[in-house]
Amino acid sequence: MGTKGKKAKKAGRAAQKIPDAVYEAELFRLQTELVKVQEWTRATGARIAVVFEGRDAAGKGGTIKRISEYLSPRTARIAALPTPTEREKTQWYYQRYVAQLPAAGEIVLFDRSWYNRAGVERVMGYCTPQEYATFMRQTPIFEQMLVEDGILLRKYWFSVSDEEQLRRFRSRLADPLRQWKLSTTDLQSISKWEDYSRAKDEMMVHTDVPASPWFVVESDIKKHARLNMIAHLLSTIPYTDVPHEKVVLPDRPAPSSGYERPPRELSTYVPDHVASLRGDAERDL
């Protein structure tokens, strides 16, 4: 594609995007509703588990960040498990994920989940064909057990195009703050695009069931994906406003004549790094 074509395509993408002001306003509204969900979860003892899956760089992490931004980490926590240890590899496959499931009054956001076996493990050969077949057979049963026990399970698949994924990978390569997000396995997803597509299609056939359906989030435009996903999640949870006592700030008591602050010289203060950024205030006088 020529330079003009790329510019035209970029301009077209920009025209499709929601204005920043509208995005920020709606995100704030949705985050306010998420706080209500948090309070409802605490009050009712509900258990909410949200699974985030999708290709690398599909926008899962950014959405999770916006969901959890104003929630208490004591109520809403993120489960992003590392590569299993040698001991964990000998356990029942779901065991380490079961340990992360919510107790009463908790929300757990799974940044990838037991579906690793249906995706990266399947494509990269990290599991045997027998282990994969067992997973496909057992997962609907496993999730049925969670739902029947009262857990509100929601599963989201973030769908990104190959072109957009590659663009995001290139952006990360040049960004010192996000280079850590790229791994050898991530980059191999470029050459194994069709393998991952087949794996995803087969996963959907076996695990997109009425008791625990998949919801697909179009994520080529990250801001749209975040708003769409959060709005949908809220629509599936039967939360209500929870009354709470009005908080009133007390009057500050009068200073006590018996207290004297210790000399500042006795404390070790953080150096004033900001002063070096501001420069010499008297230099330009």
Side-chain angles (χ1 to χ4, degrees):
M1 182 182 295
T3 303
K4 290 185 178 179
K6 290 181 179 179
K7 288 183 178 180
K9 191 163 188 177
K10 187 175 182 180
R13 280 176 48 83
Q16 295 173 14
K17 291 183 180 179
I18 188 173
D20 287 346
V22 177
Y23 166 76
E24 294 294 343
E26 179 61 7
L27 179 61
F28 180 78
R29 186 189 73 81
L30 294 174
Q31 288 175 324
T32 302
E33 293 302 310
L34 286 169
V35 172
K36 294 180 183 179
V37 171
Q38 170 183 263
E39 297 309 296
W40 173 81
T41 301
R42 284 174 171 171
T44 62
R47 293 172 291 165
I48 301 175
V50 187
V51 169
F52 293 79
E53 290 288 347
R55 296 179 186 273
D56 298 311
K60 302 179 294 298
T63 304
I64 291 172
K65 180 179 179 181
R66 272 66 181 186
I67 291 174
S68 61
E69 188 171 6
Y70 296 106
L71 303 183
S72 168
R74 296 182 179 87
T75 300
R77 56 186 170 83
I78 301 168
L81 301 186
T83 302
T85 64
E86 292 304 314
R87 180 176 182 274
E88 288 173 333
K89 289 178 182 178
T90 68
Q91 295 175 343
W92 177 47
Y93 177 70
Y94 303 93
Q95 190 166 335
R96 71 188 192 125
Y97 297 105
V98 169
Q100 298 296 323
L101 290 171
E106 291 183 348
I107 302 168
V108 178
L109 309 174
F110 283 93
D111 186 355
R112 295 201 180 279
S113 65
W114 47 91
Y115 281 99
N116 277 336
R117 176 141 293 177
V120 65
E121 290 191 20
R122 164 70 163 174
V123 174
M124 300 302 294
Y126 297 156
C127 67
T128 66
Q130 180 57 45
E131 288 172 333
Y132 173 77
T134 300
F135 172 84
M136 287 300 196
R137 185 177 69 254
Q138 290 183 345
T139 295
I141 301 171
F142 169 67
E143 293 176 355
Q144 179 74 35
M145 293 170 64
L146 302 184
V147 173
E148 288 181 353
D149 200 60
I151 291 178
L152 299 178
L153 176 63
R154 303 292 182 267
K155 303 187 307 190
Y156 290 93
W157 176 270
F158 283 68
S159 178
V160 64
S161 66
D162 54 348
E163 184 180 54
E164 178 62 17
Q165 184 194 52
L166 184 58
R167 189 192 69 79
R168 292 176 186 177
F169 280 162
R170 287 171 174 161
S171 175
R172 289 179 179 182
L173 281 172
D175 188 343
L177 298 180
R178 297 186 297 160
Q179 286 177 356
W180 64 269
K181 290 187 173 185
L182 287 177
S183 68
T184 303
T185 301
D186 293 337
L187 296 179
Q188 287 191 52
S189 65
I190 297 175
S191 59
K192 294 182 177 293
W193 178 271
E194 289 191 5
D195 294 333
Y196 274 102
S197 294
R198 294 189 186 95
K200 175 254 186 180
D201 293 343
E202 189 169 353
M203 178 194 77
M204 290 289 185
V205 168
H206 288 85
T207 63
D208 185 16
V209 296
S212 55
W214 278 104
F215 298 103
V216 178
V217 182
E218 293 287 355
S219 62
D220 267 14
I221 302 177
K222 289 182 178 180
K223 290 183 177 180
H224 295 194
R226 293 166 189 164
L227 298 183
N228 291 338
M229 183 270 158
I230 298 173
H232 180 269
L233 175 64
L234 290 169
S235 74
T236 70
I237 300 175
Y239 70 99
T240 56
D241 283 331
V242 175
H244 56 84
E245 295 182 9
K246 185 177 181 180
V247 178
V248 179
L249 290 177
D251 294 329
R252 186 183 295 278
S256 170
S257 59
Y259 172 75
E260 184 176 344
R261 179 175 176 173
R264 293 174 61 90
E265 294 77 15
L266 297 179
S267 299
T268 302
Y269 285 83
V270 172
D272 191 355
H273 173 67
V274 173
S276 66
L277 302 178
R278 293 168 57 193
D280 185 355
E282 298 182 356
R283 183 178 55 190
D284 299 325
L285 293 179

